[in-house]
Amino acid sequence: MLSQTQLQFYKDNGYLLLDEVYTTAEIDECSLEYDEIFALKKNSELEATWRGDWKDEASPTQLFSIHSLQNHAAIFTRMLLKDTLLQAIADILGTKDILLHHTKAHVKPSGTGSAFPMHQDYQYFPYKKDTLVAIFIHLDDTSMENGGLAVYPGSHHLGPLEDRGNIPGWHYVDQDKFPIEKATPVNAKRGQVVIFSYLLVHGSYPNTSDSVRRMLLFQMMSAHDEKLKETHRSPCQGMVLSGRNPHAEANIKKTARRMLSAV
């Protein structure tokens, strides 16, 4: 799926922008279902603006989020299982044994869409071998003006950085060391996909434009990696998307205890 040039770019920079992972028809279907789900859930608590002392907002902003999209509509399961995506992830991870971590969607409304601080996903769910990757699917063209992604290329080589979050459950790096103004914008077209390491320092701009910015995010990891601590347990986590999971528990007594403890 990926060329040696693409793999080297990912190795050096920690992210990769891809075309033609999904067909136009798949993106159109996903986009339609996405909008219908957000409309259906409009009376639910969806506000997810990043909390903490990382930025002094001059005026209130908004970010609407729904997690576990595969539990809402079948198109998102089909998007997860897309061969071209999983082949690319297998090339990056060096294994076809790929597991789901979680999925989510973020909508930044026009004019008031919240920014994201520069952060590493590692702080939310650390893994021993650091195989976890994010897959950022663009449902709209993105730019600095409408709240697009920004990254520090190569920052994944720094390893886990100091967590400067001052509210439990909300993490970010030192914003003075990694100001978004010096980050590299990843402007993308509708349907393009960005894959990046969970160690990459990244964030996103506020949406000051007159258009909405919608994204769909998948996070996956190698079946041969393991959690360093039990955090961010999401529905369907551990689902085998490709290959197999040779480490999956088969002891019926242990699995029964886990099911009971989750009730």
Side-chain angles (χ1 to χ4, degrees):
M1 177 63 187
L2 300 182
S3 68
Q4 287 303 311
T5 299
Q6 288 174 312
L7 287 170
Q8 190 62 49
F9 184 92
Y10 182 89
K11 181 179 179 180
D12 293 342
N13 295 282
Y15 74 99
L16 186 65
L17 179 63
L18 296 176
D19 294 303
E20 300 179 354
V21 174
Y22 297 101
T23 66
T24 300
E26 287 169 330
I27 293 297
D28 288 345
E29 182 183 359
C30 179
S31 179
L32 179 62
E33 194 68 58
Y34 186 105
D35 288 345
E36 290 183 353
I37 289 172
F38 271 92
L40 181 66
K41 302 298 181 180
K42 64 181 180 180
N43 293 324
S44 300
E45 178 54 64
L46 305 181
E47 174 56 48
T49 294
W50 215 290
R51 297 172 61 192
D53 62 1
W54 62 279
K55 187 177 181 181
D56 182 20
E57 293 284 359
S59 58
T61 60
Q62 295 176 300
L63 176 76
F64 304 126
S65 181
I66 296 176
H67 284 226
S68 304
L69 273 294
Q70 73 281 0
N71 289 354
H72 290 266
I75 178 59
F76 302 109
T77 301
R78 295 199 296 274
M79 299 281 282
L80 274 170
L81 296 174
K82 179 71 173 181
D83 283 345
T84 47
L85 174 64
L86 294 174
Q87 288 167 11
I89 301 301
D91 287 346
I92 287 171
L93 297 185
T95 178
K96 67 178 182 179
D97 300 332
I98 301 168
L99 306 183
L100 174 65
H101 191 273
H102 72 279
T103 71
K104 59 188 172 185
H106 290 320
V107 174
K108 290 190 179 186
S110 59
T112 61
S114 302
F116 280 46
M118 303 309 292
H119 66 282
Q120 293 177 308
D121 293 342
Y122 170 91
Q123 300 295 345
Y124 285 93
F125 25 80
Y127 274 74
K128 186 175 183 178
K129 298 180 181 179
D130 296 326
T131 65
L132 202 137
V133 295
I135 299 98
F136 193 118
I137 303 166
H138 296 81
L139 299 182
D140 300 295
D141 293 352
T142 63
S143 65
M144 294 173 65
E145 291 72 31
N146 78 342
L149 182 68
V151 303
Y152 269 83
S155 56
H156 63 306
H157 292 303
L158 299 174
L161 298 171
E162 180 187 4
D163 179 14
R164 297 296 294 270
N166 69 317
I167 296 177
W170 300 87
H171 308 286
Y172 42 88
V173 299
D174 189 327
Q175 304 299 291
D176 293 326
K177 291 182 179 179
F178 296 95
I180 195 169
E181 292 79 11
K182 293 184 178 180
T184 298
V186 184
N187 296 329
K189 296 293 185 182
R190 173 186 169 95
Q192 287 188 307
V193 174
V194 177
I195 302 172
F196 59 90
S197 165
Y198 84 150
L199 286 171
L200 185 74
V201 176
H202 64 286
S204 63
Y205 304 97
N207 186 356
T208 58
S209 75
D210 58 3
S211 61
V212 68
R213 193 222 72 179
R214 302 168 302 153
M215 58 80 77
L216 177 63
L217 184 74
F218 300 154
Q219 299 212 251
M220 304 176 185
M221 66 279 191
S222 166
H224 308 287
D225 208 343
E226 58 184 284
K227 290 183 177 183
L228 292 179
K229 59 181 179 180
E230 187 62 43
T231 60
H232 206 285
R233 190 71 183 176
S234 301
C236 304
Q237 191 173 110
M239 173 184 174
V240 179
L241 303 176
S242 174
R244 61 169 59 95
N245 182 5
H247 310 290
E249 183 59 66
N251 185 309
I252 192 168
K253 291 183 178 180
K254 289 183 178 181
T255 54
R257 284 197 296 270
R258 287 180 183 177
M259 291 174 64
L260 289 172
S261 65
V263 174

